[in-house]
Every structure is written in structure tokens, then in C-alpha cells.
Amino acid sequence: MGTNFGDDLIESLNQAVAFTQGQTKSAQVHVVHVPDVRSLRQRLKMSQQIFASTYRIPLATLKGWEQGRRQPDATAAAYLSIIEKMPAETQAALESE
């Protein structure tokens, strides 16, 4: 990489373009699994209000996720994955505080 931020940025962008065009396989690709929040909530048989309150998620944020206006960031996606895999344990941990 170059010696300053601008050079590093340009080189990184060139590497990204080369990867998307199939010219290189040496890129690291990170995929963040984001559970389907609406189906998760419905599977748990919870209203939006109850789900948001139970798992301490702002109701407006939950609605934004479900309506597709917003996407959970990596931290929120990880939290939702924990709720998806261990809903009762997550709820119990939050209740014990």
C-alpha cells in the first residue's frame, strides 16, 4: 500500500474492482448473517411491543428493521442471532440484571 491515506484508498478500491470482476481471488469477504426479524418475532409469538421490550430494542428500531427501512448493524445482527438461537436464555439473562 501507499504512504498516505489517499494512495491506500485508491489501491483498495482498485483491488475491490479487480475482485468483483473476477480478476483476483485474494480478497477477504465478510458476510454478516442477519436473521429475519419479523419471522423470528412471529415464531416467538410476540407482538412488536413485547419483543422490543423483552429484548430491550427500541420499538422504532424494530419497526424499521421489519419494514426494511433499516438494516441491523453487525452488533445488532449478532444480538439477533443470539436471540434466534437462545431466546429463553437471552430473556432470562436480561431479566436477571
Side-chain angles (χ1 to χ4, degrees), residues 39-95:
S39 68
L40 170 59
R41 178 181 58 77
Q42 290 172 339
R43 185 170 45 96
L44 296 174
K45 296 178 175 44
M46 292 180 165
S47 67
Q48 287 180 329
Q49 181 67 46
I50 297 296
F51 186 89
S53 175
T54 299
Y55 295 110
R56 300 184 187 173
I57 298 168
L59 183 58
T61 299
L62 177 65
K63 287 180 178 183
W65 292 341
E66 287 193 8
Q67 294 169 2
R69 289 182 284 121
R70 299 177 57 185
Q71 289 293 314
D73 63 15
T75 304
Y79 181 51
L80 291 167
S81 293
I82 296 300
I83 294 170
E84 183 178 51
K85 290 177 177 60
M86 301 180 347
E89 295 86 347
T90 305
Q91 183 176 354
L94 291 169
E95 289 173 352

Side-chain angles (χ1 to χ4, degrees), residues 1 7-17:
M1 292 244 164
D7 292 339
D8 289 346
L9 183 60
I10 291 169
E11 185 171 341
S12 294
L13 290 172
N14 287 333
Q15 290 172 354
V17 169

